[in-house]
Each structure stands twice: as structure tokens, then as C-alpha cells.
Amino acid sequence: MLPPLTQRDILLVVDVQNDFLPGGALAVPDADAIVPVVNQLARRFGHVVLTQDWHVPGHSSFASSHPGRSPFETIDLPYGPQVLWPEHCVQGSVGAALAPALDIPQAELVVRKGYRRDIDSYSAFCEADRVTPTGLAGYLRERGFSRVHLAGLATDFCVAWSAVDARRYGFEAVVIGDACRAIDTGGSLAAAWTLMREAGVGEVSVSQLSP
Ligand code: VGL
Ligand code: ZN
């Protein structure tokens, strides 16, 4: 059991968007199973923030922006290695919309990320160049939150990078494992957990969260 949830705790719901759900452009296996879990979880937190992957057409993370490249290959971009993806979460598209079954009207903020053509942003805190902040750390700090619980998609990309960055910006970070699902390409899930453990990210299951 974790210490009880307080007014210093926030739930960060990562990228529960149509394109990551079954039938979407970058469907995460079994992703629809977490939606009711996340809805229930959100009722237990005093504060909830959502993220939304939000790319321009022709984004540099799309394989289609790199002639001859295919989705799930890794290439080197100026800021480092980048996995290439099918086109997904294009601004204003149905695929980029939050899942209709996501029922968290009480969410206080939606953080959009990945909106610069040449820089991806898995993390809700900092873009993939590792220097451009999204503003989320300042927002959470100014509001007095100190512990971030994470749920959503995908465990090995946007959830993991957000959790590691939460630690980097001085927050406690706890991934609610069974409220997330992974893409798991090229060993990415195991690698993400190694990085998260090294960064001091905790893991709990929904049932371990105190009421
Ligand atoms: C994500 C790959 C590309 C995620 C976003 O939400 O984990 N993964 N864009
Ligand atoms: Zn993306």
C-alpha cells in the first residue's frame, strides 16, 4: 500500500486517444481495456491532468516523412535516435481526439505535445531535444503538487518518458502498471522499465493504491 492520496497528488492520464486504441493508426495492443480502469481511477484523485499527442502533418516522427523508411525503424535526428511511426495523432483529426469512452470531465488541464514538426515529444514535461520544456513542471509546482501517478498509453514511450522526466523535474513518480499498455517494439518495454527503475520511478497496481 502507498501512503494515502493527498491534495499534493495528481493523476496524469497519458495519450488515451483514438489512434492508440484498436482500429487506430498506431493501435496499442489491448489498449481499450484500460479505459474503464482509468475512468474509475480518476474518481479517486482530487486532480487529474490529461495529455494529448498532437502532431502537425508531415511530422518528423512519421516514417512517411523520410523517403525509403518504414514504421518502427529507428533513425538519427539532430537530437538523437528517433523511432519512426505510422502517421498518427495529426492535429484536429479524429485519431488525435481523446477516446470517446474516456470519461474524465473533471480533468483540469490537457497538455498537448509533439506539435513542433522537427521535434517529437513522448514526455509530457520536455520535448525529445531534452531542452524544450512543455510547461507542465512549472504548472504542477505552482499548484503545489509533488507526486505524479501515471496511467495511459504507451507504457514504454509516452508513459515512461513522462515518468522519468517527472523525477528529473523533482516530483515523485508512480506508474500504475495495470492502467497502462505498451507498444513493445524492439525490446522497448524492458528498456523503459530499466530506465524508470534507475530514475526512481515507483510501480503499483490499481489494487495497491490506497483508497
Ligand atoms: C506515443 C509513439 C508515438 C505514445 C506517441 O503515446 O506512447 N508513442 N507517439
Ligand atoms: Zn506521437
Side-chain angles (χ1 to χ4, degrees):
M1 267 306 168
L2 280 169
L5 298 176
T6 72
Q7 286 305 309
R8 299 180 69 81
D9 283 291
I10 187 129
L11 178 66
L12 186 66
V13 177
V14 178
D15 295 2
V16 183
Q17 295 167 257
N18 290 327
D19 269 342
F20 297 120
L21 292 171
L26 178 43
V28 178
D30 198 35
D32 46 342
I34 69 162
V35 177
V37 176
V38 171
N39 289 340
Q40 283 299 322
L41 206 49
R43 302 203 169 100
R44 296 162 66 179
F45 281 79
H47 305 279
V48 184
V49 169
L50 312 178
T51 71
Q52 198 171 16
D53 211 38
W54 200 247
H55 300 308
V56 287
H59 191 257
S60 61
S61 75
F62 298 166
S64 56
S65 304
H66 304 273
R69 300 292 183 165
S70 308
F72 306 101
E73 278 181 42
T74 300
I75 61 163
D76 282 312
L77 289 185
Y79 53 77
Q82 170 71 49
V83 180
L84 296 178
W85 305 108
E87 292 178 18
H88 66 280
C89 296
V90 172
Q91 297 175 1
S93 66
V94 171
L98 296 170
L102 193 69
D103 182 21
I104 316 183
Q106 72 275 30
E108 295 167 2
L109 176 72
V110 181
V111 179
R112 288 174 168 171
K113 59 184 181 60
Y115 46 72
R116 273 180 246 278
R117 194 196 63 175
D118 297 322
I119 316 179
D120 204 1
S121 190
Y122 297 144
S123 165
F125 290 90
C126 182
E127 301 188 21
D129 61 1
R130 311 316 293 140
V131 294
T132 307
T134 63
L136 179 59
Y139 172 89
L140 295 180
R141 210 171 285 131
E142 188 167 7
R143 294 200 55 203
F145 300 119
S146 58
R147 188 167 56 172
V148 180
H149 290 74
L150 297 99
L153 307 167
T155 321
D156 40 348
F157 289 94
C158 292
V159 173
W161 284 56
S162 298
V164 168
D165 272 355
R167 298 290 299 137
R168 219 158 57 86
Y169 283 96
F171 301 94
E172 288 181 68
V174 181
V175 170
I176 306 170
D178 48 352
C180 301
R181 288 295 184 276
I183 296 172
D184 203 9
T185 174
S188 56
L189 183 58
W193 272 114
T194 300
L195 286 177
M196 286 195 277
R197 286 196 191 96
E198 281 169 6
V201 174
E203 184 190 8
V204 294
S205 59
V206 174
S207 65
Q208 281 173 315
L209 271 180
S210 46

